[in-house]
């Protein structure tokens, strides 16, 4: 988890530095360099979000993955009803009907 937060923070910090630094670069080097810096900075947030959401296989506390070595064995990912829920038709919550 810490690795993901650190990577996300570093990439977003680089993004902010590129956006903020494009104004002085505009005055010193010209429009082309400033636009290039802004173009690179605009690509970084989706990359940071993707890297921030990847599971770390080396971290035993990172249990957010549905698949892989750190997947939650209970399957409690919140995607749907778990087995044995009274409302899924196979448990004690089922309405009695004709046999």
């Amino acid at each position: 988890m810490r690795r993901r937060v650190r990577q996300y923070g570093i990439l977003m910090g680089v993004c902010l530095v590129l956006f903020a630094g494009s104004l002085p670069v505009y005055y010193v080097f010209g429009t082309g360099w400033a636009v290039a810096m802004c173009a690179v900075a605009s690509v970084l947030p989706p990359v940071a979000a993707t890297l921030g959401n990847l599971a770390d296989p080396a971290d035993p506390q990172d249990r957010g993955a549905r698949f892989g070595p750190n997947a939650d064995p209970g399957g409690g990912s919140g995607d749907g009803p778990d087995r044995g829920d009274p409302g899924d038709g196979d448990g004690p919550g089922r309405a009695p009907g004709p046999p």
Side-chain angles (χ1 to χ4, degrees), residues 2-99:
R2 289 182 186 217
R3 177 194 60 85
R4 298 188 307 172
V5 171
R6 191 175 338 131
Q7 283 181 344
Y8 180 80
I10 288 171
L11 280 174
M12 291 306 288
V14 168
C15 176
L16 289 174
V17 166
L18 284 172
F19 270 128
S22 65
L23 184 64
V25 167
Y26 166 73
Y27 285 121
V28 175
F29 295 108
T31 308
W33 286 100
V35 169
M37 287 176 66
C38 286
V40 170
S42 68
V43 172
L44 288 180
V47 172
T50 302
L51 288 178
N53 285 325
L54 291 177
D56 186 7
D59 187 5
Q61 297 296 323
D62 194 3
R63 307 284 285 182
R66 288 182 56 200
F67 305 105
N70 294 330
D72 191 10
S77 61
D79 292 358
D82 294 330
R83 286 189 205 147
D85 258 356
D88 64 358
D90 63 352
R94 189 174 75 184

